[in-house]
Amino acid sequence: MTATFVERRPAFLFLGAPGSGKGTQGKILGSIPRFFHCACGDIFRSLDTRTELGQKFVAYSSRGELVPDELTIQLWKAQVDNWAESHVYKPDIDFLVLDGIPRNVAQARMIDDFLEVHQVFHLSCPNRAELARRMRKRALKDNRLDDASESVIQNRISTYEAETKPILDHYGPGLVTEIDATRQPVEVVAAILSTIIHLPFYKTFTRLGV
Ligand code: ADP
């Protein structure tokens, strides 16, 4: 079987500021059969930091900045191809659940060549102080250096506002579901799942597999 994207793969996208719970929700969804969670930050964090690419990631992320687009998309696509080739991810029957990618409109355009995004879940948390609180907590628990300093936290939140949020307009209101990310994780996952199971595309696609 080839690992190339012969047609555009179905995907759901989680969009939200750092600390909005994309990773938590992505992991939950990814534990359900036919959903494959793909967290771009985890791909970067799994890089050997002794390599040039690993060093680049550390340099950008420690400042709260995005890794350049070409590099990001190349690495991301190679990883998705790998998963497909090793049959962990089954492109003909699995939904990709994207978390942390795309992070700007240029990336969204690049991934549109490979993927068909069927719904964008905007995990909305207008309370920036709450986001910063969650990030500080995560810095201690998960040893996330990029969440440890106040200036980096603020930089990550403003990068989100300036570069990532415009992605909502790229996909348009018809594809975007607003989710209140301040609710309990169980309520957030319930809102996401009830949206997905009512999508006409979901019903057609899930009939393809067993
Ligand atoms: P969070 O879940 O807090 O939003 P991530 O774990 O997704 O953070 O990402 C951590 C860091 O990895 C980002 O700050 C950025 O430097 C880099 N990164 C992750 N995804 C991308 C992407 N799609 N484009 C550019 N940089 C990225």
Side-chain angles (χ1 to χ4, degrees), residues 41-60:
D42 288 348
I43 298 176
F44 279 127
R45 274 184 292 276
S46 69
L47 290 173
D48 184 343
T49 50
R50 294 168 304 178
T51 61
E52 199 187 329
L53 198 55
Q55 285 290 318
K56 271 193 182 157
F57 162 67
V58 172
Y60 286 105

Side-chain angles (χ1 to χ4, degrees), residues 22 45 57 61 65 67 72 100 103 107 138 144 156:
K22 303 183 299 287
R45 274 184 292 276
F57 162 67
S61 64
E65 291 170 12
V67 179
T72 299
R103 252 183 157 95
Q107 290 185 10
R138 182 168 67 180
R144 284 275 299 260
R156 297 189 67 207

